[in-house]
Every structure is written in structure tokens, then in C-alpha cells.
């Protein structure tokens, strides 16, 4: 299945700034359930680190990002030569597609649209491997014959927007098949810190030792600092050096470099975050199930994919009606591989805010039904 029209829409959630302008709302008056970041908010160390590094604005940022690379390496217990930070994982996705000849790229859908867009911009022919709704979008990997014809495969794990997390042994089996075919496997683990046991999902340690495996990570989601644009990849030292040579100068600003180092000391914060996510999921999914007209899919992370059952309202209609109440949700029409007009993604916020969302959904869907 070709994805030649995928780049036509590159929607990344709601736009709170636009909603504030149109409705005269303050930031505090907008509830953004399209933004899939940690509901705890960022740690206190973020503000103190920014204040402590104001004077550093007089200098250019470290072009080697050495302190951040060393901090990430220590956190994951891998060599720092295997780390490459970037301006969010989106920049790194684009960078990876510039590595070597990737004329034929496969994307397992439904998933994040940037993979196909970046590959298309690099001149690749992009095809999809469609996951089945009837199986809960559980991944079943392409055949050996299909992998043999590819230069690159993108896998999001845990997946956006489905929330499905594959165990690491299954991902490594796919990596082995890709290696046998001379194919690069790129695994985006932006949401892995939201799972109960990241160590059972991540293949990051293996990426530092293999020549055909790249793992992408985001610090902005798990630490709730999306405005910083801060991510990194892990790969073999040779691949990292090749990609560094193609990266723009100073990809990360002074504050991102300093805050990134500080965030990696916040182990207690991540532990509290996982406990909170378990509690929120335990309430969120059963509550969504009781809302007439919504069918949620099981999730292992901080958001849930839901199908709208009544034919009388579309995902766009529902998104617009909730926006009129100051609530943003993710209309999933831009995700390839999902039935148009039928899917939304709901991020989990605080318990109080989630219950406000539940009431609004019941009112809107109940009235329409």
C-alpha cells in the first residue's frame, strides 16, 4: 500500500494558541487533551536550571553537546559515542532518512506521520504495512520477502496513536530480520517512559551495539517540556558520526542543553510519573468505556485511541464542539491506516481534568445520539 499522499497533512495535535486567540481564552482556560505529555508538569529543576544558565546566552551553545551526551550515556549505561541529541525527535527522524540510500522505506501504520513525510522528502518510495483494527492494531510484522526489498523500516514502540507497546524480544526479532536483509530499523521510543516497565520494551541498549538499529527518544514528553524541543538517538558509533556530519550546526539551544542534563537526574520524578500513569489509566479507560458512542482501545501509555461509533457525528465535528468548550482533543484523520472521521486520541491529564472531559464527552455525544 503506497503512502504517496501522506505528506499532505502534518497535524500534530490541537493548537492551543489559535484557540486562545479565537475565543479570547487564557492558557489556564484551555484543557489540551491533544498534548500527550506528562500530566505531572515539568520538575522544579527546569526553572532553576534556566535561571542558572541565563548568562550562558552570551555564548554559542556547545556544538558537540558533550555534557548532554555524557549525561544521557550515563543514564542508559552506554558509551557516549552512541548518543546524538537533536532538536526534538522530529529533527532526528529527518536526519536518519538522509543516511545512505533509503530508496524504499516501510512504515507500520497507523502511526506518526513524520516518518513517511521525512522519507518522502529524502526521495524514498514509502509503503505501509497495515495493522488490523479487528486485532486491536497489534503489530504483525511484514514477511521476510517484503523486508528483503527495503532499505529502512520505521516502528513506533509504544505506538502513537494506538498506545500498543511490543516487548523487546519481538522488536529484536524484527531487527534480526532487517539485518539479514541489509535493512535499517528505526524504533521510535518517545513514549516508553510512560509504560510500567520500560526495560521490558526498550531496545536502546542493543542499538548501541548493532549497525542496523536506531532508537529515537524524547525528553520533552516524559518531562513535560515540549517547548524545549529536546530528543536524542542511540545507534552504533559509526552511524552516529555519519549522522552528526549531516546535522545542522547548534541543533540545541543553551537552555535545552542545560535542562537536558538536569532532567536526567530526576529518577524519583519518573518513578512518581509511572505510578501516576498507572492510577490514571485504571480510571480513564473504564470511564471512557461507559460513555455512549466511544470505544477505547487498550493502551500502555498516557493516551488512548477511541473510535466514535455513532454515524451522526464525525471526529472533526466532535473536535470542533469540544473546542467550543475550551477542550482540545486529537482528531486522528491525519493518521494513515485509520478510518476517516471515526477516530480520536485522548491524552490523560489530572484526575479532575479527566473527569471534566468525561462530562463534556457525555453531553456532546449524548445530545447528538
Amino acid at each position: 500500500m503506497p503512502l504517496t499522499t501522506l505528506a499532505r497533512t502534518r497535524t500534530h495535535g490541537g493548537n492551543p494558541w489559535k484557540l486562545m486567540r479565537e475565543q479570547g481564552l487564557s492558557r489556564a482556560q484551555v484543557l489540551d487533551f491533544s498534548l500527550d505529555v506528562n500530566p505531572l508538569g515539568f520538575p522544579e529543576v527546569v526553572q532553576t536550571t534556566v535561571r542558572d544558565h541565563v548568562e550562558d546566552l552570551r555564548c554559542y551553545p556547545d556544538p558537540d553537546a558533550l555534557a548532554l551526551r555524557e549525561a544521557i550515556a550515563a543514564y542508559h549505561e552506554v558509551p557516549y559515542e552512541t548518543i546524538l541529541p537533536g532538536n526534538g525527535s522530529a529533527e532526528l527522524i529527518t536526519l536518519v532518512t538522509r543516511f545512505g540510500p533509503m530508496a524504499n522505506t516501510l512504515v507500520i501504520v497507523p502511526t506518526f506521520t513524520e516518518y513517511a513525510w521525512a522519507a518522502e522528502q529524502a526521495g524514498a518510495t514509502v509503503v505501509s504495512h497495515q495493522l488490523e483494527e479487528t486485532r486491536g492494531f497489534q503489530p504483525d510484522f511484514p514477511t521476510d520477502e517484503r523486508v528483503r526489498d527495503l532499505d529502512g523500516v520505521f516502528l513506533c514502540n509504544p505506538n502513537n496513536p494506538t498506545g500498543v507497546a511490543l516487548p523487546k524480544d519481538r522488536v529484536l526479532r524484527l531487527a534480526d530480520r532487517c539485518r539479514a536483509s541489509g535493512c535499517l530499523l528505526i524504533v521510535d521510543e518517545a513514549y516508553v517512559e510512560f509504560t510500567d516497565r520500560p526495560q521490558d520494551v526498550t531496545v536502546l541498549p542493543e542499538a548501541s551495539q548493532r549497525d542496523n538499529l536506531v532508537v529515537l527518544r524524547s525528553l520533552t514528553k516524559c518531562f513535560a517540556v515540549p517547548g524545549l524541543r529536546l530528543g536524542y538517538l542511540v545507534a552504533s558509533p559509526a552511524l552516529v558520526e555519519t549522522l552528526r556530519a549531516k546535522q545542522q550546526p547548534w541543533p540545541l539551544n543553551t537552555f535545552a542543553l542545560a535542562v537536558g542534563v538536569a532532567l536526567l537526574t530526576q529518577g524519583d520524578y519518573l518513578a512518581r510519573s509511572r505510578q501516576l500513569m498507572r492510577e490514571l489509566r485504571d480510571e480513564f479507560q473504564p470511564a471512557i468505556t461507559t460513555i455512549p458512542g466511544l470505544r477505547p482501545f487498550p493502551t500502555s501509555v498516557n493516551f488512548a485511541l477511541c473510535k466514535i461509533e455513532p454515524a451522526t457525528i464525525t471526529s472533526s465535528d466532535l473536535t470542533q464542539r469540544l473546542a467550543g468548550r475550551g477542550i482540545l482533543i486529537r482528531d486522528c484523520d491525519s493518521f494513515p491506516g485509520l478510518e476517516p472521521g471515526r477516530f480520536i486520541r485522548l491524552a490523560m491529564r489530572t484526575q479532575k481534568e479527566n473527569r471534566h472531559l468525561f462530562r463534556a464527552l457525555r453531553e456532546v455525544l449524548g445530545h447528538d445520539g
Side-chain angles (χ1 to χ4, degrees), residues 291-307:
I291 298 175
L294 276 188
R295 178 163 61 90
F297 290 81
T299 182
S300 60
V301 287
N302 63 323
F303 56 80
L305 179 70
C306 301
K307 187 172 186 180

Side-chain angles (χ1 to χ4, degrees), residues 43-354:
E44 292 182 11
V45 72
V46 172
Q47 296 189 52
T48 57
T49 303
V50 169
R51 287 196 297 267
D52 291 345
H53 287 80
V54 167
E55 287 300 313
D56 291 347
L57 292 176
R58 300 178 186 274
C59 305
Y60 282 103
D62 176 9
D64 297 321
L66 185 58
L68 179 57
R69 293 176 73 193
E70 290 178 337
I72 296 170
Y75 179 76
H76 291 297
E77 299 181 343
V78 297
Y80 86 90
E81 295 90 350
T82 66
I83 307 295
L84 182 62
N87 188 247
S89 55
E91 185 223 355
L92 296 170
I93 291 167
T94 299
L95 191 63
V96 169
T97 60
R98 268 65 175 174
F99 167 73
M102 290 184 65
N104 298 291
T105 302
L106 183 138
V107 179
I108 299 172
V109 299
T111 198
F112 189 40
T113 58
E114 288 296 310
Y115 311 140
W117 179 86
E120 287 175 357
Q121 296 304 301
T125 297
V126 182
V127 294
S128 70
H129 179 73
Q130 176 70 53
L131 304 180
E132 297 299 325
E133 178 186 339
T134 55
R135 298 183 64 247
F137 300 107
Q138 289 288 328
D140 61 313
F141 293 136
T143 62
D144 289 343
E145 291 74 16
R146 199 172 189 194
V147 171
R148 195 173 298 124
D149 297 329
L150 299 171
D151 303 301
V153 174
F154 276 95
L155 171 69
C156 188
N157 190 45
N159 189 34
N160 174 22
T162 64
V164 174
L166 287 174
K168 69 179 300 175
D169 62 318
R170 289 193 61 194
V171 180
L172 289 176
R173 286 201 296 271
L174 177 61
D176 289 340
R177 291 167 58 188
C178 288
R179 173 188 276 176
S181 301
C183 175
L184 186 68
L185 175 62
I186 306 102
V187 183
D188 187 349
E189 295 184 350
Y191 299 96
V192 73
E193 295 288 2
F194 292 112
T195 62
D196 286 343
R197 291 178 54 83
Q199 66 270 28
D200 294 342
V201 178
T202 182
V203 294
L204 186 150
E206 289 76 12
S208 68
Q209 304 168 20
R210 297 188 178 213
D211 57 7
N212 80 310
L213 179 60
V214 176
V215 167
L216 302 169
R217 284 291 190 96
S218 169
L219 288 175
T220 58
K221 297 183 187 303
C222 58
F223 289 107
V225 286
L228 271 184
R229 310 306 309 130
L230 181 56
Y232 57 95
L233 64 76
V234 179
S236 70
L239 179 50
V240 165
E241 281 306 305
T242 299
L243 293 173
R244 282 188 69 199
K246 299 176 182 293
Q247 194 174 33
Q248 65 179 358
W250 306 294
L252 290 173
N253 65 55
T254 295
F255 291 144
L257 289 173
V259 171
V261 173
L263 290 176
L264 291 165
T265 67
Q266 303 299 299
D268 290 344
Y269 170 90
L270 287 177
R272 287 189 291 117
S273 299
R274 291 191 192 105
Q275 178 60 36
L276 173 64
M277 290 315 308
R278 282 192 291 270
E279 294 170 359
L280 291 176
R281 281 194 297 267
D282 286 346
E283 178 177 4
F284 196 94
Q285 285 211 286
I288 289 293
T289 304
T290 67
I291 298 175
L294 276 188
R295 178 163 61 90
F297 290 81
T299 182
S300 60
V301 287
N302 63 323
F303 56 80
L305 179 70
C306 301
K307 187 172 186 180
I308 305 170
E309 299 290 3
T312 53
I313 186 169
T314 67
S315 56
S316 177
D317 294 334
L318 182 57
T319 300
Q320 291 176 14
R321 294 186 196 184
L322 290 174
R325 297 168 177 243
I327 297 173
L328 293 175
I329 63 172
R330 181 69 156 91
D331 181 351
C332 290
D333 271 1
S334 62
F335 287 101
L338 292 176
E339 182 184 351
R342 305 264 46 95
F343 287 89
I344 59 172
R345 190 194 68 197
L346 303 173
M348 299 175 198
R349 294 174 62 96
T350 66
Q351 185 183 66
K352 179 180 179 181
E353 291 167 335
N354 291 342

